[in-house]
Amino acid sequence: MTTSASVPTEGAISSGGRVTDRLVNANERYAAAFSDPGMDARPVLHVAVVACMDARLDLHAALGLELGDCHTIRNAGGVVTDDVIRSLTISQRKLGTRSIVLIHHTGCGLEAITEEFRTELEMEVGQRPAWAVEAFRDVDQDVRQSMQRVRTSPFLLHTDDVRGFVFDVKTGLLREIDPA
């Protein structure tokens, strides 16, 4: 299997946009063979997946999903923030999703930093970020917290099918987290 990690990236970051140029070129090749699949924005499986942005997680492959099956919402840690609730609310109320799957993973970068990161940023740039880092030490507990945030949100219509998992980046397996 070839991944972008195996493609040479020498000078990609320091050469003023080479990575973006590569992506734009790839899009041109994609668009040349593209045909409208005739889908709308409503996911076929009526599910929204909230996951970490970690590049090691290929959610569609890991979950056996195809284009159009789900809404995918990703952020640092896969934590349920106000913006995730906003996206889930739109997904449910306007686009018909009913189920929510939360996926954190082993070896997450948010386990290695603290909320002190905001102070470090303030010292560096002179302004404190309004957002929380949402760092955590216990990935299972953070999944439970995320499930609780979803289940107690007054904006979400469907909170009876909310399940949380930890993806093992070494084995590719999901481990379900008991919400209790």
Side-chain angles (χ1 to χ4, degrees), residues 12 15 42 47 62 75 91 98 130 134 137-138 154-155 159 164 177:
S15 298
R42 296 174 183 272
V47 63
N75 67 18
S91 178
R98 299 289 179 263
E134 297 280 353
R137 293 285 176 252
D138 181 338
F155 306 111
T159 58
I177 302 301

Side-chain angles (χ1 to χ4, degrees), residues 49-52 57 75-81 84-85 88 100-108 110-111 134-152 162-168 173-180:
V49 178
V50 178
C52 185
L57 277 65
N75 67 18
V79 295
V80 175
T81 61
V84 168
I85 294 293
L88 289 172
I100 299 171
V101 175
L102 306 172
I103 301 177
H104 286 33
H105 65 91
T106 58
C108 185
L110 283 186
E111 293 175 293
E134 297 280 353
F136 54 87
R137 293 285 176 252
D138 181 338
V139 68
D140 291 17
Q141 183 55 36
D142 203 63
V143 172
R144 285 187 199 93
Q145 177 177 293
S146 289
M147 285 190 282
Q148 184 65 17
R149 286 177 177 174
V150 168
R151 288 191 173 124
T152 59
V162 177
R163 294 173 66 185
F165 300 86
V166 174
F167 177 86
D168 187 313
L173 289 172
L174 290 175
R175 179 172 50 81
E176 188 158 10
I177 302 301
D178 183 355

Side-chain angles (χ1 to χ4, degrees), residues 3 14 26 28-29 48 52 54-55 58 69 73 83 90 109 120-121 135 148 170 175 179:
T3 66
S14 63
E28 290 169 359
R29 290 188 301 278
C52 185
D54 191 296
D58 182 349
D69 283 348
I73 303 160
D83 193 60
I90 293 166
E120 293 167 10
L121 284 173
Q148 184 65 17
K170 301 285 188 207
R175 179 172 50 81

Side-chain angles (χ1 to χ4, degrees), residues 9-20:
T9 58
E10 184 177 306
I13 295 173
S14 63
S15 298
R18 281 196 191 172
V19 171
T20 303

Side-chain angles (χ1 to χ4, degrees), residues 30 34-40 42-45 60-61 64-72:
Y30 171 80
F34 183 80
S35 62
D36 181 358
M39 300 174 180
D40 70 14
R42 296 174 183 272
V44 173
L45 298 179
H60 277 76
L65 297 168
E66 300 293 331
L67 180 67
D69 283 348
C70 72
H71 284 158
T72 305

